[in-house]
């Protein structure tokens, strides 16, 4: 399926609203005396609902592909950020005041590395939105580790002068 509820939520909502209007019109006509019933408006509303539904399906296909491509790019960036954070940690200044910080950053990095297989699973299951969100989070956290190491280097470098 195109998963319109996930990848085209606005279009899906419009389609559901159109369907509700059509159903309400049918119910309104059913409440009338038999000779006064006219389902012309209901037919028009159902046709609009079908058109809205088709637009939602089309938008979902397009948006799903866009999210898939974005997720693939972000996964690559997340892996690069993890590699860079790992390299930065290896060059982090070591001393009596930094051991706890380095241990915490190393644990954070290992946690991020453990999430990487989930990204592949999400992509294989076509959960592109989840993969994109996880990759974004991993990338941001790995970049934060790099920034923290750079800040520690600057702090130690400042003391040596």
């Amino acid at each position: 399926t195109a998963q319109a509820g996930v990848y085209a939520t606005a279009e899906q909502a419009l389609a559901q609203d159109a369907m509700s209007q059509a159903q309400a019109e049918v119910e309104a006509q059913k409440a009338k005396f038999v000779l006064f019933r006219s389902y012309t408006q209901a037919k028009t509303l159902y046709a609009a609902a079908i058109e809205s539904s088709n637009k939602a399906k089309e938008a979902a296909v397009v948006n799903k592909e866009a999210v898939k491509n974005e997720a693939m790019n972000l996964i690559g960036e997340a892996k690069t950020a993890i590699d860079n954070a790992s390299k930065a940690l290896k060059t982090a200044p070591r001393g009596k005041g930094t051991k706890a910080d380095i241990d915490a950053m190393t644990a954070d990095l290992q946690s991020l590395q453990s999430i990487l297989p989930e990204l592949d699973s999400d992509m294989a299951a076509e959960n592109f939105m989840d993969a994109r969100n996880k990759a974004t989070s991993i990338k941001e956290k790995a970049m934060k580790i790099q920034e923290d190491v750079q800040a520690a280097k600057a702090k130690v470098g400042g003391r040596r002068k």
Side-chain angles (χ1 to χ4, degrees), residues 33-129:
F33 182 69
V34 174
L35 296 176
F36 297 115
R37 292 180 189 168
S38 172
Y39 291 98
T40 305
Q41 180 65 19
K43 288 178 186 177
T44 302
L45 291 171
Y46 274 121
I50 290 169
E51 184 179 335
S52 291
S53 177
N54 288 337
K55 286 180 182 178
K57 288 177 188 176
E58 291 168 11
V61 169
V62 169
N63 293 344
K64 183 177 180 180
E65 188 65 25
V67 170
K68 175 185 175 183
N69 291 334
E70 184 182 4
M72 288 190 315
N73 289 335
L74 283 167
I75 288 170
E77 292 173 13
K79 289 177 179 179
T80 299
I82 285 178
D83 289 343
N84 292 339
S86 180
K87 290 174 188 171
L89 267 176
K90 289 176 184 172
T91 65
R94 309 243 185 251
K96 63 181 178 179
T98 61
K99 182 172 178 9
D101 291 338
I102 291 173
D103 288 346
M105 287 187 277
T106 300
D108 289 346
L109 185 62
Q110 289 171 344
S111 174
L112 296 176
Q113 289 169 327
S114 72
I115 299 171
L116 287 177
E118 291 178 27
L119 299 177
D120 294 332
S121 298
D122 286 340
M123 292 299 287
E126 295 190 2
N127 295 329
F128 305 128
M129 198 85 70

